[in-house]
Amino acid sequence: MVFTSLSGTPAVTQPPPSQQNGSNGAASYGGGYPPVSGGGYPPVSAPPSSHYGYNGQQQQQQQQYPSMPQPPSHQQQGGIAPPPSSSNAMYPPARQPSIPQPNASSQYQGQPYNPGYMATSAQQPELTRANGSRLTGDPKEDYPIVMAIDFGTTFTGCAFAFRKDPEIQEIITWPKQAYQYPKVPTISLYKLDSPEFLDWGYPARAVMMTPNAKKHLLLSKFKLQLDDQQEHIDPLPLGIKPLDAISDYLGKFHTHVVKEAMKNFGSTYDQSHIQYCLTVPAMWSDRAKHVMRLAAVRAGLIREEDPAHRLIIVSEPEAAAMYCQSKGDQFNLQKHDRFLICDAGGGTVDLIVFEVVDVNPETGIRSLREVTRGHGASCGSAFLDANMEKLLREKFQKYPLTPMGWGTIMDTFVNQTKPIFPGTDPEMYLQVPNIPNLPDANDLDIGLEDGMLKLMVSELHERVFDPVVQDVLDLIEYQLQQTHCEAIFMVGGFGSSRYLFDRVTAKFATSGRQVRVPPRAELAVVRGAVTYGLHQGSIISRVARRWYGVDSAMDFVPGVDPEEKKTLSRDGTVRCKDRFSVYITPGQSVALGECVTKKYMTWCYPRPLDCPLYVSDSEQEPRYVDEPSVKKLGDFQIPMPDVPGMMPGAEVLVEVKMHFGETEVRAEALVLGQTVTAVCQWIG
């Protein structure tokens, strides 16, 4: 990659005045090319001795970095080849190039690869539905139905609404489920000896409650495979990849929910009229969010050729915040009030503090801004279950329970013991199934009598509940160390726990801070995601979570920069290569609609530009792109329009526009008078 900036300071376009409230604006970025990313701002690293994705303190404003490095002239794939007269790193003079302009009728002919990044109508062929009908480009007209999917670690839910009558409805009927419930287990059934997907949800669970269970594999909690913060994640069995597992499940789930939802609409509506909101943890990385986009394509939610805005990636705390703000009158949320969302689900716990910026007098919808960098950890209720299973296996180590037996005893814990913990007595009882080699179901040494296992509440506190609950309390405390808030909203299935609510209230409730569980808290994310889709733009600013930067050549500092990084630029100045040029800093507030525009020179025509993007979770600003804390996130590609008469290697002026204030970062470039999509090719 060779990319030379024509200006040290980019132009920063602010959002409309109506969206500027509460935003600190963009920082002054340095030269070089800006990053592009497929999803939001991932979490920053934890401080020493902590396993959480805690956020460090906001760093100081960055200096400007005016120049970018240049590869050897033999580079073939992407990038910009330097003039052949020199083998040194070269920099062009600061002048506008002579570039042949395209005719007014000239169009970019290539079909852009579009896994979910914003493209423009000028670049793409006419947009159509799967049935061939034309799209207008306005999502409110093209997609009269908004459907949200809350893909959870243990349970998944779906809700939808019709834009003309925005009453939110949940899907409550599932295959082989006797009673109605707005969520279905996130489990999949495979053959034991091959990665052949067989079933999902309740039918998958039913098979594992039969003698045929030994011939099958029940896959669960595979969402946790996308948590980059976990240091040790065992791979899925049978060589199943996370993308495959998620796609298999979402495909069957989507087919069912669309069939159920369409019962509410006439024959003129079908699946092509749906705009989707897919929720993800706020702590997830860009890579993980991109995997969810790919899974949505594979599962049939969207097509690769669909407009990117047909699928909206929504962070779970933001969705929950939209739900809680809809109950603002109920909780007396006023302008400038701040509230903490603690979204505690089956696998992850996500937290962000929001501030009410304004209230729309017509809709009653409150516009919100992020106040703190969202963070979280994998410490949801599934880890309570894991602790309990470990305790039970210790007690029953002499008695080999069948898979069906383990399924029965864990279901009893999840459905009967866990919801009422800690109770009022010093002990609790758990009914266990028939145990081989123990026909009378008695073993007083482990507390088993007549098929009932006695469990001391003190032991459950120590071994099962308190380690996980303490993790959640630590996460909340860290958020509150950064700012004040008037309310803490506990949402999610685990967030609805009586014991967790009592512990949070005891530690954090004050005369000026209320701890509340909103109505139907387990549905806050999926219902809030629908509200988000109906009222896009309600989250007016977000706070960056990581360092984003690029590889840049900067002034060499003797005694600081190593000699092996010294290089000579085209203008004769001594530079240091491999410098990390910062474009987004942790803690930086970025408004919705805020755009950073930069201009660059390239000589790669007609090849596309392939440019690396780096991220870092370091507490301190990284200096070099090859530091241990810096990771290459991917390469973004800017295609070159076809211009008749332009010679290969001609100088081309590229103007890149970056939009950072959304859940997913998007980029577009103005090349030879045409707007093209910047596409990120992800690592991993």
Side-chain angles (χ1 to χ4, degrees), residues 87-107:
S87 60
N88 294 328
M90 307 279 283
Y91 296 84
R95 61 175 177 83
Q96 295 293 329
S98 176
I99 302 173
Q101 296 299 314
N103 297 327
S105 60
S106 176
Q107 298 290 332

Side-chain angles (χ1 to χ4, degrees), residues 8 14 70 83 138 154 259 350 468 490 513 560 569 588 594:
Q14 294 294 340
Q70 191 167 345
D138 182 355
T154 54
K259 180 180 177 181
D350 274 327
V468 178
M490 306 295 298
R513 182 193 301 135
V560 176
S569 70
Q588 178 179 327
E594 192 169 301

